[in-house]
Amino acid sequence: MINGLLNLYKPSGMSSAQAVGKVKKIFGPLGQKTVGHMGTLDPMAEGVLLVGVGKAARLFNYLAGHKKQYIAKFTFGYETDTLDKLGATVHTTSDIPSIDAVEHAMQSIVGTIEQIPPAYSAKHVDGNRAYDLARRGKVVELNPVTVHIYDTEIVCQPRMNEIVVKIDCSSGTYIRSICRDVGRMCGSLATLEYLQRTRVGSFCVENAVTLENLDILKENALIPTHSVIDLPRYDVPAELKSDLDNGRKIQFSSPGEYKIFCADELYGIGSEVNGVLKIITYLKD
């Protein structure tokens, strides 16, 4: 059975769900239809999208929370309802901030901040997706969420009203909201014109595989499941393999989580529960 993690380069103009659908079509004829992504990337955005294939799709809780890095272009002078260039313009201004003002605003958000997500987002409001309510003309009020901005850097200024920035941030950060907030902090308005996710944890854009190349490489593009789990390894003695295979209790007293191997085969992620080994995420074929 085919299992592993895919560092996919999602193109702009395609939703994360559509990208997963493309991957399913490639691996389906090879006998694997279980595919899931590890953190949504907006349709307008391009770049790194981690995709789990087979048992690796169970690693969402271990990979979705990784630190992320983006390259974004903010265009000042207008704001849209979606906070990106795909939306309808709702406000304009002739006040364009200086690069120094933008840099000061960007530096001021470094650290732990409270951020209000965009109305057009996948957040749930009374059981509905926020973007579904917004598209129906409903007023969407979202609660602030706590995110962490590790670092910001101005990359260049292509035009007087455009700034390209690099942002290192925690999972759950909306770059569209940063763009909105920086524009307003500078006494202006701003809209996200371009977004590329360049890194998720240790997975970078330079090593990402396009859908076109994936169609050629297929399973050869997958990263082995055991190598993407950043946990210490624990090897169950080979003489206990039958117990492990049949769910019998194995004494275990080490605190924390481990990659559990036996006979050099990955069984999953395990931890100690009441003095015995518990496989909490089963990854064995």
Side-chain angles (χ1 to χ4, degrees):
M1 189 63 71
I2 299 170
N3 297 292
L5 188 79
L6 176 64
N7 179 2
L8 181 69
Y9 193 97
K10 186 193 83 66
S12 178
M14 179 183 294
S15 71
S16 296
Q18 288 171 330
V20 166
K22 297 283 187 181
V23 176
K24 283 183 178 180
K25 286 185 178 180
I26 292 172
F27 285 108
L30 301 178
Q32 185 53 270
K33 295 183 180 180
T34 302
V35 180
H37 67 75
M38 312 291 176
T40 303
L41 191 57
D42 284 347
M44 188 196 80
E46 60 186 77
V48 174
L49 179 69
L50 298 185
V51 177
V53 177
K55 296 288 197 307
R58 299 177 179 180
L59 295 175
F60 180 88
N61 290 337
Y62 297 91
L63 297 175
H66 280 340
K67 176 180 173 182
K68 297 175 172 62
Q69 183 182 84
Y70 296 89
I71 296 292
K73 182 166 74 172
F74 299 168
T75 298
F76 295 89
Y78 77 109
E79 190 175 288
T80 69
D81 53 359
T82 60
L83 304 182
D84 62 28
K85 68 176 183 179
L86 301 181
T89 299
V90 291
H91 302 292
T92 61
T93 181
S94 58
D95 293 322
I96 305 300
S98 67
I99 191 170
D100 289 339
V102 176
E103 183 169 23
H104 178 75
M106 293 294 295
Q107 287 300 316
S108 73
I109 65 172
V110 173
T112 301
I113 62 172
E114 294 291 306
Q115 181 187 76
I116 298 177
Y120 284 82
S121 68
K123 292 289 185 182
H124 281 95
V125 180
D126 297 328
N128 297 290
R129 294 288 190 180
Y131 56 68
D132 286 332
L133 296 174
R135 286 168 183 161
R136 298 203 298 265
K138 304 290 186 181
V139 176
V140 179
E141 294 184 2
L142 294 171
N143 294 322
V145 296
T146 302
V147 298
H148 193 88
I149 310 301
Y150 296 97
D151 193 23
T152 65
E153 176 187 338
I154 291 183
V155 177
C156 63
Q157 185 179 27
R159 296 182 177 86
M160 288 299 296
N161 68 328
E162 294 178 348
I163 298 289
V164 176
V165 299
K166 181 166 67 175
I167 301 170
D168 292 285
C169 57
S170 66
S171 178
T173 303
Y174 282 93
I175 307 301
R176 285 180 288 153
S177 291
I178 290 179
C179 178
R180 172 200 63 203
D181 295 344
V182 166
R184 294 177 183 180
M185 290 166 66
C186 293
S188 181
L189 298 170
T191 290
L192 186 64
E193 193 78 20
Y194 171 82
L195 184 64
Q196 181 190 48
R197 187 152 70 191
T198 54
R199 184 178 290 274
V200 176
S202 61
F203 305 96
C204 59
V205 69
E206 290 82 4
N207 298 325
V209 178
T210 65
L211 285 167
E212 291 76 13
N213 285 338
L214 179 62
D215 202 22
I216 298 170
L217 295 170
K218 295 183 169 59
E219 65 266 35
N220 293 319
L222 295 177
I223 304 167
T225 305
H226 68 85
S227 67
V228 304
I229 305 171
D230 188 22
L231 292 172
R233 172 171 172 155
Y234 179 84
D235 284 88
V236 174
E239 59 267 26
L240 298 179
K241 186 177 187 302
S242 177
D243 293 333
L244 191 60
D245 288 338
N246 291 285
R248 291 190 286 269
K249 291 183 179 181
I250 295 174
Q251 297 302 307
F252 191 73
S253 59
S254 299
E257 293 182 334
Y258 295 83
K259 291 184 287 191
I260 304 299
F261 283 80
C262 187
D264 209 32
E265 184 177 11
L266 175 67
Y267 273 70
I269 297 170
S271 64
E272 179 271 333
V273 178
N274 297 324
V276 301
L277 176 63
K278 173 74 172 179
I279 304 294
I280 53 178
T281 302
Y282 195 77
L283 299 171
K284 186 177 180 292
D285 287 340

